[in-house]
Amino acid sequence: MTQAQDRRAWAEEDELPADAYDDILTGLRTEGGQGPAYEIFVSGRTEGSMLVKSIAITNAGGNTSFCTNLKNAAQEHIVPGSSLKGALRNQMEKIADYLGRQELITDTFGYTKDAAGDGKAGNIVFYDTVVGKKEENERMELSSRIHIDKFTGGVMDGGLFQEKNIAGELEFHISVKDKNNPDSTSGLLLLALRDLAVGLVNIGSGYGVGKGMIAVERIVMKDEKHHTEATVTFSDAGSIADGHGLIAKCLQAVYGKEQAV
């Protein structure tokens, strides 16, 4: 906002053409001159329901929800990139700790400036994901739950509340920039996505009642530098199509040559 042209663009935001926003997104993807090394797409659907909480602030009282799912500007129900990042980072940290490769987390997510003034930017980007169809999610019935006292483990008096859950098909999009050892970042991410596919990781709230589980159908990994790709399919017996060895190369970067599988 220090430049006159930027202030003018902000004031005229509603009049900007659609391609202006595309240009902004393109700039973000190549920030610092680093384009993506890998683009990863995870397609599937929710198993049951999901809820990434947002406080319901309209139509209070009566038969209304205490909280609802986050929405974007188009009023579509979404999983924000930050929520996906939090869930997968937690699992990636567990895997890295188990393997004794904690430095992979620093490469992947970076760290803020310390007392010496040093800092490091990560190399991974998580995008917002639209879940299901807007109309179908709006028609979903409210879900009633009891409120458990965290100290006693008992039911709290007057603690009954309602939530507005969502469900449907989705496709997560994750980008790994061409810096900070992108192969090892992608390999660690693939291990976390495997755990997501087998039900060890959930998205959003309600893990204790089975919410946020994802029935992963397919993971597609694209090598943007060499224009190749690999596909992992989870339907039926499952299959891996990796003629160029992308998955093996990335897992090898995580495990090391002697332990790679």
Side-chain angles (χ1 to χ4, degrees), residues 228-239:
T228 56
E229 70 177 48
T231 302
V232 181
T233 304
F234 292 88
S235 57
D236 300 325
S239 63

Side-chain angles (χ1 to χ4, degrees), residues 165-231:
N165 300 318
I166 61 171
E169 296 181 348
L170 49 78
E171 183 178 74
F172 296 125
H173 177 196
I174 306 165
S175 179
V176 179
K177 293 184 178 181
D178 189 16
K179 65 175 187 177
N180 298 1
N181 304 310
D183 289 353
S184 56
T185 287
S186 299
L188 190 62
L189 174 63
L190 287 172
L191 292 173
L193 291 175
R194 172 205 61 188
D195 292 345
L196 176 71
V198 300
L200 297 178
V201 178
N202 82 307
I203 307 297
S205 66
Y207 177 80
V209 292
K211 289 196 297 186
M213 299 299 181
I214 307 298
V216 177
E217 297 172 358
R218 184 179 295 105
I219 298 175
V220 177
M221 180 180 187
K222 297 185 178 182
D223 184 336
E224 294 296 316
K225 292 195 295 183
H226 302 99
H227 306 291
T228 56
E229 70 177 48
T231 302

Side-chain angles (χ1 to χ4, degrees), residues 82-257:
S82 57
S83 294
L84 179 61
K85 175 183 177 181
L88 291 180
R89 175 171 181 163
N90 182 56
Q91 192 67 12
M92 291 168 74
E93 287 179 345
K94 292 178 182 178
I95 297 169
D97 187 59
Y98 175 77
L99 296 174
R101 298 293 310 277
Q102 291 86 350
E103 76 278 4
L104 299 182
I105 299 301
T106 300
D107 285 343
T108 301
F109 298 99
Y111 59 90
T112 56
K113 290 184 178 181
D114 55 22
D118 296 323
K120 182 177 183 178
N123 64 359
I124 196 166
V125 180
F126 295 85
Y127 296 92
D128 293 350
T129 303
V130 175
V131 181
K133 297 180 179 179
K134 179 169 61 175
E135 298 78 10
E136 293 179 0
N137 280 322
E138 292 295 346
R139 289 197 296 268
M140 284 191 68
E141 295 183 359
L142 295 178
S143 172
S144 297
R145 292 184 57 191
I146 56 175
H147 198 164
I148 301 297
D149 190 317
K150 295 180 180 179
F151 296 100
T152 66
V155 178
M156 292 182 65
D157 257 351
L160 184 68
F161 64 96
Q162 293 181 312
E163 298 174 334
K164 183 75 169 179
N165 300 318
I166 61 171
E169 296 181 348
L170 49 78
E171 183 178 74
F172 296 125
H173 177 196
I174 306 165
S175 179
V176 179
K177 293 184 178 181
D178 189 16
K179 65 175 187 177
N180 298 1
N181 304 310
D183 289 353
S184 56
T185 287
S186 299
L188 190 62
L189 174 63
L190 287 172
L191 292 173
L193 291 175
R194 172 205 61 188
D195 292 345
L196 176 71
V198 300
L200 297 178
V201 178
N202 82 307
I203 307 297
S205 66
Y207 177 80
V209 292
K211 289 196 297 186
M213 299 299 181
I214 307 298
V216 177
E217 297 172 358
R218 184 179 295 105
I219 298 175
V220 177
M221 180 180 187
K222 297 185 178 182
D223 184 336
E224 294 296 316
K225 292 195 295 183
H226 302 99
H227 306 291
T228 56
E229 70 177 48
T231 302
V232 181
T233 304
F234 292 88
S235 57
D236 300 325
S239 63
I240 299 177
D242 187 17
H244 298 278
L246 300 184
I247 295 175
K249 179 177 70 170
C250 291
L251 290 180
Q252 189 176 82
V254 174
Y255 287 113
K257 292 183 179 180

